[in-house]
Amino acid sequence: MADAAHVASGKVRELYALDEDRLLLVASDRISTFDVVLPTLIPDKGRVLTGLAAFWFTRTRTLCLNHLLTVRPDGRSTECRRLTMLPIECVVRGYLAGSGWRDYRTHGEVCGHRLPAGLRESDRLPEPIFTPATKAQAGHDENISREEAAGLVGAERLAEAEHLSLELYRFASDYARERGIVIADTKFEFGLDRAGRLTLGDEALTPDSSRFWPADQYAPGVAQPSFDKQFVRDYCEQTGWDKTPPGPELPPDVVSGTRARYVEAFERLTAIAFDEYLNDPTVVLRG
Ligand code: Q0Z
């Protein structure tokens, strides 16, 4: 770590260069809500996300190449293969939420997918849909049409990324649903390895890159509670905060409740005790 050059900062993660073809992705315990990073940390959040992503990379190796090399003993650092990232986000939606719901309500379609009339907020879609987006430097990613996405990466690459994204989503959402978690939508980031092969990178199928909903509370027609961040959102709403930086400090009960939700998501999905992961993070790599 000490000799790794800092490459980039995300809202809650840092990226370092290990050498010419390896990067280190470090997940902090920072949490964002309403697009603002809060001043309070959620202990072990970065470890939960790192462990979950590594679990999914291991479980989906037969579907798709990925960048994972290993997880470090700290449980929050992923050594990965350096890729040439595609300039698009590969979003898959199985349910109508967020910008998908907004686009449906205003245009009757989402990224060129004609959808049945009369769908409600949070309804399950007849089939998962691929809705690519641009990577905004600042602010919000913007949904784009398949034609625009093809212009950015080429029609062949786009078709391949769409196919892999849908396969990954189907696998993970079926798996998670059996364990009480609805993955409403998710975002994949692909790149090319040195041989030019399409490879899954970044983090995948975590609550930060997806919408996780508690399946036992699923009730379409209204916005669904977030599996992980609902206590934080409820608290922030209750303070009257105007959602511009800086965000409020979180009280201890909100921190501990939120940490418990992250750990619960990890344990439900991996069927591994989180303490086992803390003791030896490579437990998620045995597939
Ligand atoms: C990921 C990001 C940040 C965390 C670049 N395997 C890869 N090869 C090349 N580039 C990336 C990866 Cl994962 C890559 N990001 C997003 C930014 C912290 C992740 F600051 N950017």
Side-chain angles (χ1 to χ4, degrees):
M1 254 302 298
D3 42 51
H6 186 248
V7 171
S9 291
K11 273 197 301 215
V12 302
R13 297 178 302 160
E14 304 293 335
L15 192 60
Y16 300 87
L18 292 174
D19 56 43
E20 251 171 51
D21 40 46
R22 292 180 312 141
L23 297 174
L24 190 70
L25 205 62
V26 183
S28 74
D29 291 339
R30 295 193 292 272
I31 188 168
S32 70
T33 190
F34 306 112
D35 281 321
V36 175
V37 178
L38 301 181
T40 311
L41 302 179
I42 304 300
D44 294 322
K45 171 177 176 281
R47 292 190 175 91
V48 165
L49 269 60
T50 297
L52 259 185
F55 170 81
W56 288 119
F57 283 135
T58 301
R59 269 3 178 238
T60 60
R61 248 186 342 223
T62 57
L63 297 179
C64 176
L65 292 171
N66 66 63
H67 75 162
L68 175 68
L69 295 171
T70 195
V71 176
R72 289 201 168 174
D74 67 9
R76 67 170 72 252
S77 306
T78 304
E79 294 185 11
C80 53
R81 189 73 66 199
R82 193 195 287 256
L83 306 173
T84 302
M85 301 306 288
L86 301 187
I88 59 168
E89 316 251 11
C90 291
V91 177
V92 179
R93 301 170 186 278
Y95 295 75
L96 264 188
S99 69
W101 166 238
R102 282 196 297 279
D103 291 352
Y104 172 78
R105 241 192 344 189
T106 51
H107 308 111
E109 58 174 54
V110 186
C111 289
H113 296 273
R114 301 284 342 198
L115 296 173
L119 294 175
R120 299 159 296 172
E121 184 172 16
S122 310
D123 259 333
R124 187 176 186 174
L125 298 173
E127 295 286 351
I129 58 174
F130 177 71
T131 64
T134 56
K135 294 184 188 183
Q137 286 312 315
H140 271 120
D141 298 335
E142 190 192 344
N143 290 338
I144 55 177
S145 65
R146 167 168 293 107
E147 291 67 37
E148 289 171 280
L152 290 168
V153 304
E156 296 239 334
R157 278 299 180 205
L158 183 69
E160 195 184 356
E162 172 172 17
H163 176 77
L164 291 177
S165 296
L166 288 167
E167 292 272 296
L168 287 164
Y169 176 78
R170 281 198 196 93
F171 171 81
S173 60
D174 288 353
Y175 179 98
R177 183 64 191 76
E178 287 175 26
R179 289 156 183 82
I181 293 174
V182 172
I183 302 181
D185 52 41
T186 196
K187 174 191 81 181
F188 299 112
E189 301 210 18
F190 290 94
L192 305 182
D193 70 4
R194 306 181 93 196
R197 296 175 299 187
L198 196 61
T199 304
L200 181 61
D202 207 77
E203 73 176 41
L205 299 163
T206 67
D208 275 12
S209 65
S210 318
R211 273 192 186 83
F212 281 15
W213 294 338
D216 62 352
Q217 288 172 56
Y218 175 64
V222 292
Q224 301 301 289
S226 163
F227 192 93
D228 45 301
K229 288 183 176 169
Q230 200 56 44
F231 297 148
V232 171
R233 294 198 184 141
D234 290 348
Y235 176 76
C236 287
E237 298 277 14
Q238 177 202 307
T239 62
W241 172 49
D242 66 3
K243 297 170 191 171
T244 65
E249 299 264 9
L250 302 175
D253 62 314
V254 174
V255 171
S256 63
T258 300
R259 180 188 181 279
R261 292 297 277 173
Y262 280 105
V263 170
E264 184 179 347
F266 176 95
E267 292 187 335
R268 281 207 208 179
L269 292 172
T270 66
I272 296 167
F274 187 60
D275 280 347
E276 292 230 15
Y277 177 74
L278 294 179
N279 180 60
D280 175 12
T282 67
V283 292
V284 296
L285 306 179
R286 306 193 238 276

Short mmCIF file of all heavy atoms in Angstrom, two decimals, residues 6-15 23 25-26 67 80-85 135 189 200-203, ligand 1:
data_model
loop_
_atom_site.label_atom_id
_atom_site.label_comp_id
_atom_site.label_asym_id
_atom_site.label_seq_id
_atom_site.Cartn_x
_atom_site.Cartn_y
_atom_site.Cartn_z
N HIS A 6 -1.52 6.61 -5.90
CA HIS A 6 -2.96 6.89 -5.93
C HIS A 6 -3.36 7.22 -7.36
O HIS A 6 -2.73 8.03 -8.02
CB HIS A 6 -3.26 8.06 -4.99
CG HIS A 6 -4.71 8.35 -4.84
ND1 HIS A 6 -5.30 9.48 -5.33
CD2 HIS A 6 -5.69 7.63 -4.27
CE1 HIS A 6 -6.59 9.45 -5.05
NE2 HIS A 6 -6.85 8.34 -4.41
N VAL A 7 -4.44 6.57 -7.84
CA VAL A 7 -4.88 6.76 -9.23
C VAL A 7 -6.17 7.58 -9.29
O VAL A 7 -6.32 8.45 -10.14
CB VAL A 7 -5.12 5.39 -9.93
CG1 VAL A 7 -5.77 5.56 -11.28
CG2 VAL A 7 -3.81 4.63 -10.06
N ALA A 8 -7.10 7.28 -8.39
CA ALA A 8 -8.40 7.95 -8.45
C ALA A 8 -9.12 7.82 -7.12
O ALA A 8 -8.84 6.92 -6.33
CB ALA A 8 -9.26 7.34 -9.56
N SER A 9 -10.02 8.76 -6.88
CA SER A 9 -10.91 8.70 -5.71
C SER A 9 -12.34 8.66 -6.19
O SER A 9 -12.72 9.45 -7.05
CB SER A 9 -10.74 9.96 -4.84
OG SER A 9 -9.49 9.95 -4.22
N GLY A 10 -13.10 7.74 -5.62
CA GLY A 10 -14.55 7.77 -5.81
C GLY A 10 -15.16 8.39 -4.56
O GLY A 10 -14.44 8.80 -3.66
N LYS A 11 -16.49 8.41 -4.50
CA LYS A 11 -17.13 9.01 -3.32
C LYS A 11 -16.75 8.25 -2.05
O LYS A 11 -16.52 8.86 -1.02
CB LYS A 11 -18.66 9.02 -3.48
CG LYS A 11 -19.14 10.28 -4.22
CD LYS A 11 -20.63 10.52 -4.02
CE LYS A 11 -21.42 9.35 -4.53
NZ LYS A 11 -22.68 9.68 -5.14
N VAL A 12 -16.71 6.92 -2.17
CA VAL A 12 -16.45 6.11 -0.97
C VAL A 12 -15.33 5.10 -1.17
O VAL A 12 -15.11 4.24 -0.32
CB VAL A 12 -17.75 5.39 -0.51
CG1 VAL A 12 -18.86 6.40 -0.21
CG2 VAL A 12 -18.22 4.35 -1.51
N ARG A 13 -14.60 5.19 -2.29
CA ARG A 13 -13.52 4.24 -2.57
C ARG A 13 -12.31 4.96 -3.12
O ARG A 13 -12.41 6.07 -3.64
CB ARG A 13 -13.97 3.21 -3.61
CG ARG A 13 -15.13 2.34 -3.13
CD ARG A 13 -15.55 1.39 -4.20
NE ARG A 13 -15.96 2.07 -5.41
CZ ARG A 13 -16.00 1.50 -6.61
NH1 ARG A 13 -15.66 0.25 -6.76
NH2 ARG A 13 -16.38 2.20 -7.66
N GLU A 14 -11.15 4.28 -3.02
CA GLU A 14 -9.90 4.81 -3.57
C GLU A 14 -9.30 3.74 -4.47
O GLU A 14 -9.49 2.54 -4.25
CB GLU A 14 -8.90 5.12 -2.44
CG GLU A 14 -9.43 6.07 -1.37
CD GLU A 14 -9.70 7.48 -1.87
OE1 GLU A 14 -9.06 7.89 -2.86
OE2 GLU A 14 -10.56 8.16 -1.28
N LEU A 15 -8.58 4.21 -5.47
CA LEU A 15 -7.95 3.31 -6.43
C LEU A 15 -6.46 3.62 -6.49
O LEU A 15 -6.08 4.79 -6.61
CB LEU A 15 -8.61 3.54 -7.80
CG LEU A 15 -8.33 2.55 -8.92
CD1 LEU A 15 -8.78 1.14 -8.55
CD2 LEU A 15 -9.05 3.01 -10.19
N LEU A 23 -4.18 -3.20 -10.16
CA LEU A 23 -4.68 -2.08 -9.36
C LEU A 23 -5.13 -2.58 -8.00
O LEU A 23 -5.41 -3.78 -7.83
CB LEU A 23 -5.88 -1.42 -10.06
CG LEU A 23 -5.64 -0.76 -11.42
CD1 LEU A 23 -6.97 -0.29 -12.02
CD2 LEU A 23 -4.66 0.39 -11.32
N LEU A 25 -8.11 -1.70 -5.28
CA LEU A 25 -9.38 -1.00 -5.06
C LEU A 25 -9.66 -1.07 -3.56
O LEU A 25 -9.78 -2.17 -3.02
CB LEU A 25 -10.43 -1.78 -5.83
CG LEU A 25 -11.71 -1.15 -6.33
CD1 LEU A 25 -11.41 -0.04 -7.32
CD2 LEU A 25 -12.54 -2.22 -7.03
N VAL A 26 -9.74 0.07 -2.90
CA VAL A 26 -9.92 0.08 -1.44
C VAL A 26 -11.27 0.70 -1.10
O VAL A 26 -11.54 1.86 -1.45
CB VAL A 26 -8.77 0.86 -0.74
CG1 VAL A 26 -8.94 0.80 0.77
CG2 VAL A 26 -7.41 0.28 -1.15
N HIS A 67 -12.06 -9.08 -13.22
CA HIS A 67 -10.75 -8.50 -12.90
C HIS A 67 -10.16 -8.97 -11.58
O HIS A 67 -9.01 -8.66 -11.26
CB HIS A 67 -10.82 -6.97 -12.93
CG HIS A 67 -11.52 -6.34 -11.76
ND1 HIS A 67 -11.36 -5.01 -11.44
CD2 HIS A 67 -12.38 -6.85 -10.83
CE1 HIS A 67 -12.08 -4.72 -10.37
NE2 HIS A 67 -12.71 -5.83 -9.98
N CYS A 80 -6.70 -6.25 -8.32
CA CYS A 80 -7.39 -6.60 -9.55
C CYS A 80 -6.53 -6.31 -10.78
O CYS A 80 -5.57 -5.55 -10.73
CB CYS A 80 -8.73 -5.88 -9.64
SG CYS A 80 -8.65 -4.10 -9.44
N ARG A 81 -6.90 -6.97 -11.84
CA ARG A 81 -6.25 -6.80 -13.15
C ARG A 81 -6.63 -5.43 -13.71
O ARG A 81 -7.80 -5.05 -13.65
CB ARG A 81 -6.78 -7.91 -14.06
CG ARG A 81 -6.09 -8.03 -15.37
CD ARG A 81 -4.71 -8.62 -15.29
NE ARG A 81 -4.65 -10.02 -14.86
CZ ARG A 81 -3.53 -10.61 -14.38
NH1 ARG A 81 -2.42 -9.91 -14.25
NH2 ARG A 81 -3.55 -11.87 -14.03
N ARG A 82 -5.66 -4.71 -14.20
CA ARG A 82 -5.94 -3.42 -14.81
C ARG A 82 -6.58 -3.64 -16.19
O ARG A 82 -6.07 -4.42 -17.00
CB ARG A 82 -4.66 -2.60 -14.96
CG ARG A 82 -4.90 -1.15 -15.29
CD ARG A 82 -3.63 -0.47 -15.77
NE ARG A 82 -2.66 -0.23 -14.70
CZ ARG A 82 -2.44 0.98 -14.15
NH1 ARG A 82 -3.13 2.01 -14.55
NH2 ARG A 82 -1.51 1.13 -13.24
N LEU A 83 -7.67 -2.98 -16.42
CA LEU A 83 -8.40 -3.11 -17.69
C LEU A 83 -8.44 -1.76 -18.40
O LEU A 83 -8.18 -0.73 -17.79
CB LEU A 83 -9.85 -3.56 -17.42
CG LEU A 83 -10.05 -4.82 -16.58
CD1 LEU A 83 -11.54 -5.02 -16.27
CD2 LEU A 83 -9.50 -6.06 -17.30
N THR A 84 -8.80 -1.80 -19.65
CA THR A 84 -9.16 -0.57 -20.36
C THR A 84 -10.68 -0.48 -20.30
O THR A 84 -11.39 -1.23 -20.99
CB THR A 84 -8.67 -0.62 -21.82
OG1 THR A 84 -7.26 -0.82 -21.81
CG2 THR A 84 -9.01 0.67 -22.55
N MET A 85 -11.17 0.40 -19.43
CA MET A 85 -12.62 0.40 -19.15
C MET A 85 -13.41 0.97 -20.32
O MET A 85 -12.98 1.92 -20.99
CB MET A 85 -12.91 1.22 -17.88
CG MET A 85 -12.20 0.71 -16.62
SD MET A 85 -12.49 -1.03 -16.24
CE MET A 85 -14.20 -0.99 -15.70
N LYS A 135 -20.94 7.67 -18.26
CA LYS A 135 -20.27 7.91 -16.99
C LYS A 135 -20.07 9.41 -16.86
O LYS A 135 -19.19 9.97 -17.47
CB LYS A 135 -18.91 7.22 -16.97
CG LYS A 135 -19.01 5.70 -17.00
CD LYS A 135 -17.64 5.10 -16.88
CE LYS A 135 -17.72 3.59 -17.09
NZ LYS A 135 -16.41 2.95 -16.92
N GLU A 189 -19.64 -2.54 -14.75
CA GLU A 189 -18.63 -1.81 -15.53
C GLU A 189 -17.69 -2.85 -16.12
O GLU A 189 -17.08 -3.64 -15.39
CB GLU A 189 -17.88 -0.83 -14.64
CG GLU A 189 -18.86 0.16 -14.03
CD GLU A 189 -18.28 1.53 -13.75
OE1 GLU A 189 -17.23 1.85 -14.34
OE2 GLU A 189 -18.89 2.25 -12.96
N LEU A 200 -15.40 -8.22 -16.66
CA LEU A 200 -16.14 -7.46 -15.65
C LEU A 200 -15.17 -6.86 -14.65
O LEU A 200 -14.29 -7.56 -14.13
CB LEU A 200 -17.13 -8.40 -14.94
CG LEU A 200 -18.01 -7.79 -13.85
CD1 LEU A 200 -18.91 -6.69 -14.41
CD2 LEU A 200 -18.84 -8.88 -13.17
N GLY A 201 -15.31 -5.55 -14.38
CA GLY A 201 -14.41 -4.87 -13.44
C GLY A 201 -15.17 -4.18 -12.34
O GLY A 201 -16.33 -4.50 -12.05
N ASP A 202 -14.49 -3.24 -11.69
CA ASP A 202 -15.06 -2.40 -10.65
C ASP A 202 -15.63 -3.26 -9.51
O ASP A 202 -15.08 -4.29 -9.18
CB ASP A 202 -16.12 -1.49 -11.26
CG ASP A 202 -16.29 -0.21 -10.46
OD1 ASP A 202 -15.43 0.68 -10.58
OD2 ASP A 202 -17.25 -0.12 -9.69
N GLU A 203 -16.73 -2.84 -8.89
CA GLU A 203 -17.41 -3.69 -7.91
C GLU A 203 -18.72 -4.11 -8.56
O GLU A 203 -19.23 -3.39 -9.43
CB GLU A 203 -17.65 -2.96 -6.59
CG GLU A 203 -18.73 -1.89 -6.64
CD GLU A 203 -18.98 -1.27 -5.26
OE1 GLU A 203 -18.02 -1.01 -4.54
OE2 GLU A 203 -20.15 -1.02 -4.94
C1 Q0Z B 1 -12.37 1.58 -11.79
C2 Q0Z B 1 -13.24 3.69 -9.37
C3 Q0Z B 1 -12.21 5.18 -7.84
C4 Q0Z B 1 -12.74 3.06 -7.13
C5 Q0Z B 1 -11.13 2.89 -12.95
N1 Q0Z B 1 -9.80 -3.16 -13.11
C6 Q0Z B 1 -9.81 -1.83 -13.48
N2 Q0Z B 1 -9.02 -1.44 -14.49
C7 Q0Z B 1 -9.00 -0.15 -14.87
N3 Q0Z B 1 -9.73 0.80 -14.27
C8 Q0Z B 1 -10.55 0.47 -13.25
C9 Q0Z B 1 -10.60 -0.88 -12.82
CL1 Q0Z B 1 -11.57 -1.40 -11.53
C10 Q0Z B 1 -11.33 1.57 -12.67
N4 Q0Z B 1 -12.74 2.84 -11.57
C11 Q0Z B 1 -13.80 3.35 -10.73
C12 Q0Z B 1 -12.72 4.91 -9.11
C13 Q0Z B 1 -12.23 4.28 -6.85
C14 Q0Z B 1 -13.24 2.76 -8.38
F1 Q0Z B 1 -11.68 6.36 -7.60
N5 Q0Z B 1 -11.99 3.65 -12.27
#
